[in-house]
């Protein structure tokens, strides 16, 4: 059983990894010559794409590893999208770095959505809808993906990051 | 790496008290609701009824009421006196609902789940944890933020 799982996992990884590196190379080719330190930007984009690919691979493994193939771990993708949205909207309506009630409420919702993405696999595994292996793999995938999102938001070419 | 420096500065700079408070309040509030969702998902015999969930909904309404009133609404510089009075009554009712939901959760836990042989005790504890988390989140969100930093 284990050999088949590893084969399936590496087959999935082999399909997703070239896609992400291809998009990074496309971005590198379309970039204008200006901007600061294009090699650093490319390196950052490459690291972000690679880590996102690894995170999504763990998510696919969480759905593929146990013997009944259950797709419920994919619902954390909804929480990924919902967690980025409030701060994005708050930053668009009130630009600048001073805090105000709107941006603080947006941070409140963001923290809630991040917690929900971690709580959903735990609740599903506790209720025996998915196995604990799938739950732990989903949590690892969450850690990698949220770490990538946060690290990208905190990149140092703009003060305080353009997203937060 | 400067990304780590920026992350450290994001959480420990001067303007970050409001941000940290909002994040902690968000984590607590949603943790409360997820505790209830977890308890209801392992509850096969429907021991947690709709009335029990309403205690948490009252706590959420209390959260919204308490945080809708800003400090400047009830300060002495407010020009309309009846507006300040209404804001104070609103705040009072909000706090009353919050504390009433805690009292109701303790009552339900003891009376309906621990002293009752037909129901398991853990669901009452989960209800109490949910309401305590929601109340703490509303208190932290209300009192942990410094309102002078809002330049609107």
């Amino acid at each position: 059983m284990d050999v088949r799982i590893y084969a399936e996992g590496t087959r999935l990884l082999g399909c997703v990894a070239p896609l992400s590196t291809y998009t990074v190379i496309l971005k590198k080719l379309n970039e204008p010559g200006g901007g600061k330190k294009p090699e650093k930007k490319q390196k950052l984009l490459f690291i972000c794409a690679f880590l996102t690919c690894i995170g999504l691979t763990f998510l696919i493994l969480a759905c593929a590893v146990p013997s009944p193939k259950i797709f419920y771990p994919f619902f954390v993708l909804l929480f990924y999208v919902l967690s980025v949205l409030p701060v994005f909207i708050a930053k668009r309506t009130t630009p600048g770095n001073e805090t105000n009630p709107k941006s603080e409420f947006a941070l409140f919702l963001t923290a809630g959505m991040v917690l929900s993405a971690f709580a959903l696999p735990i609740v599903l595994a506790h209720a025996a809808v998915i196995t604990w292996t799938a739950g732990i793999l989903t949590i690892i995938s969450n850690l990698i993906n949220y770490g990538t999102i946060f690290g990208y938001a905190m990149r140092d070419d703009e003060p305080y990051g353009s997203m937060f | 790496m400067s990304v780590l420096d920026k992350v450290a500065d994001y959480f420990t700079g001067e303007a970050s008290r409001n941000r940290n408070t909002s994040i902690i309040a968000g984590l607590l509030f949603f943790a409360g609701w997820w505790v209830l969702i977890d308890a209801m998902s392992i509850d096969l015999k429907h021991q947690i009824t709709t009335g029990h969930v309403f205690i948490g909904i009252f706590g959420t309404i209390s959260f919204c009421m308490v945080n809708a009133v800003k400090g400047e609404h009830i300060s002495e510089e407010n020009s309309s006196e009846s507006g300040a009075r209404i804001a104070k009554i609103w705040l009072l009712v909000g706090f009353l609902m919050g504390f009433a939901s805690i009292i109701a959760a303790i009552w339900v836990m003891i009376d309906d789940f621990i002293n009752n042989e037909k129901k398991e005790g853990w669901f009452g504890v989960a209800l109490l944890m949910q309401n305590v988390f929601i109340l703490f989140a509303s208190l932290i969100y209300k009192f942990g933020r410094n309102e002078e930093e809002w330049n609107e």
Side-chain angles (χ1 to χ4, degrees):
Chain A
M1 183 187 80
D2 294 316
V3 176
R4 208 159 36 97
I5 289 163
Y6 289 138
E8 202 168 318
T10 46
R11 184 158 46 99
L12 289 165
L13 180 58
C15 295
V16 180
L19 254 171
S20 67
T21 48
Y22 180 65
T23 51
V24 166
I25 293 172
L26 256 188
K27 270 190 183 163
K28 187 167 74 173
L29 288 175
N30 290 342
E31 217 161 280
K36 52 177 280 192
K37 295 201 202 132
E39 315 90 36
K40 212 171 165 192
K41 256 188 176 173
Q42 289 156 15
K43 198 171 89 155
L44 177 71
L45 278 176
F46 181 76
I47 290 176
C48 279
F50 189 66
L51 283 178
T52 309
C53 156
I54 296 261
L56 286 179
T57 306
F58 270 102
L59 187 62
I60 295 173
L61 275 180
C63 297
V65 161
S67 40
K69 306 278 184 286
I70 294 177
F71 62 93
Y72 290 128
F74 274 124
F75 283 114
V76 296
L77 288 175
L78 172 74
F79 287 122
Y80 291 166
V81 172
L82 281 179
S83 70
V84 183
L85 223 49
V87 176
F88 188 66
I89 293 176
K91 267 286 176 179
R92 288 290 289 262
T93 54
T94 61
N97 293 322
E98 67 270 2
T99 60
N100 61 350
K102 207 179 300 182
S103 67
E104 285 164 13
F105 188 64
L107 269 182
F108 172 86
L109 288 180
T110 307
M113 291 296 122
V114 169
L115 181 85
S116 297
F118 280 100
L120 180 70
I122 296 178
V123 169
L124 282 177
H126 190 214
V129 173
I130 62 176
T131 62
W132 278 102
T133 312
I136 292 174
L137 282 173
T138 316
I139 289 174
I140 295 175
S141 151
N142 281 347
L143 281 171
I144 298 175
N145 280 327
Y146 274 125
T148 311
I149 290 174
F150 193 57
Y152 183 74
M154 289 284 139
R155 71 191 184 280
D156 55 6
D157 52 354
E158 276 147 77
Y160 293 103
S162 71
M163 252 175 45
F164 291 117
Chain B
M1 232 166 73
S2 57
V3 173
L4 289 177
D5 288 334
K6 280 187 66 177
V7 169
D9 185 57
Y10 181 77
F11 283 120
T12 59
E14 308 92 32
S16 66
R17 178 187 156 186
N18 285 2
R19 270 188 236 145
N20 298 347
T21 310
S22 311
I23 290 174
I24 291 175
L27 290 177
L28 278 177
F29 182 79
F30 280 90
W33 277 107
W34 275 102
V35 165
L36 180 74
I37 291 174
D38 183 48
M40 286 182 86
S41 67
I42 63 174
D43 177 20
L44 299 168
K45 290 184 274 198
H46 289 283
Q47 297 171 21
I48 299 181
T49 65
T50 311
H52 295 146
V53 179
F54 256 98
I55 306 174
I57 293 181
F58 263 100
T60 307
I61 294 176
S62 141
F63 177 93
C64 297
M65 285 175 77
V66 161
N67 289 112
V69 175
K70 301 181 198 168
E72 63 181 10
H73 289 169
I74 56 177
S75 74
E76 290 91 26
E77 288 119 34
N78 196 1
S79 52
S80 116
E81 200 192 281
S82 69
R85 196 175 297 157
I86 290 176
K88 283 178 194 166
I89 294 176
W90 183 266
L91 194 63
L92 174 73
V93 172
F95 275 123
L96 279 178
M97 284 174 74
F99 287 114
S101 73
I102 290 281
I103 295 172
I106 297 175
W107 185 355
V108 161
M109 174 181 84
I110 294 177
D111 193 27
D112 213 12
F113 285 99
I114 293 183
N115 285 345
N116 195 353
E117 299 87 27
K118 288 186 284 243
K119 296 195 179 186
E120 292 177 41
W122 160 247
F123 296 129
V125 177
L127 266 176
L128 180 65
M129 278 174 67
Q130 174 212 2
N131 287 293
V132 164
F133 282 161
I134 292 177
L135 180 74
F136 278 178
S138 83
L139 288 180
I140 287 177
Y141 197 64
K142 167 95 187 132
F143 293 118
R145 296 185 299 161
N146 190 1
E147 297 191 1
E148 291 157 21
E149 294 176 13
W150 297 344
N151 7 322
E152 305 193 70

